[in-house]
Amino acid sequence: WKPVSANFLEGAHDGDYHYNACRVPWRLGTYELTSGDRSLHAGLESLNAFIKQSTGGDPHQVKAGYRVSTGTPGQSYASYEDLSFTAPFIVSAEIDARHQTWVNALWDAVADGFPTASGSYFGNSIRMISLLVASGNWWVPAP
């Protein structure tokens, strides 16, 4: 996989780990957790290692976007956190019991550490879906 160039889809942050990409840990993690298919496991573990290391294990240090080329928060969003980015990491961390301490820290931060503001539909929707998956309450339809 390689990132797309800027302005490929929506804007200058296309190709960065930005608002279109923030759902990747939730989506790929959900796939592994519900299907048992571990073909994406190594990639998810790489993502988990990156975010745990870059935050020092503090979920409130997950930033609202990263430059894929450097692994650092991009200049325009390096100073703030956003529920849309933090919540999906609960799901990706659940793929291995070794991450339980990180899962617990993420759960506490996401469930109680962000206000449920009326203007944050996107983040609150991702929070709800991530917590449903992480708690084992995600419904998987039968084939």
Side-chain angles (χ1 to χ4, degrees):
W1 300 343
K2 73 177 198 172
V4 297
S5 59
N7 301 307
F8 178 81
L9 183 62
E10 292 183 335
H13 296 295
D14 293 348
D16 288 341
Y17 186 76
H18 203 247
Y19 283 93
N20 278 328
C22 71
R23 298 165 285 190
V24 168
W26 142 49
R27 289 175 170 167
L28 299 185
T30 298
Y31 174 73
E32 180 170 329
L33 292 170
T34 60
S35 72
D37 181 347
R38 294 175 51 95
S39 61
L40 301 173
H41 190 83
L44 284 167
E45 285 292 44
S46 179
L47 183 61
N48 288 327
F50 164 76
I51 201 63
K52 285 168 63 175
Q53 184 276 326
S54 68
T55 63
D58 179 358
H60 289 289
Q61 294 304 310
V62 174
K63 301 302 179 192
Y66 292 85
R67 296 238 180 262
V68 172
S69 60
T70 63
T72 58
Q75 189 173 15
S76 63
Y77 34 77
S79 63
Y80 68 95
E81 61 181 324
D82 186 312
L83 188 54
S84 306
F85 289 84
T86 307
F89 287 114
I90 297 172
V91 180
S92 68
E94 285 221 331
I95 65 167
D96 195 303
R98 295 177 300 112
H99 303 302
Q100 191 60 53
T101 300
W102 177 234
V103 169
N104 293 347
L106 285 162
W107 183 277
D108 291 345
V110 170
D112 298 323
F114 286 88
T116 306
S118 60
S120 60
Y121 169 81
F122 189 70
N124 281 318
S125 297
I126 292 173
R127 173 196 344 226
M128 180 189 68
I129 293 168
S130 296
L131 292 175
L132 283 169
V133 174
S135 66
N137 290 300
W138 185 255
W139 177 69
V140 180

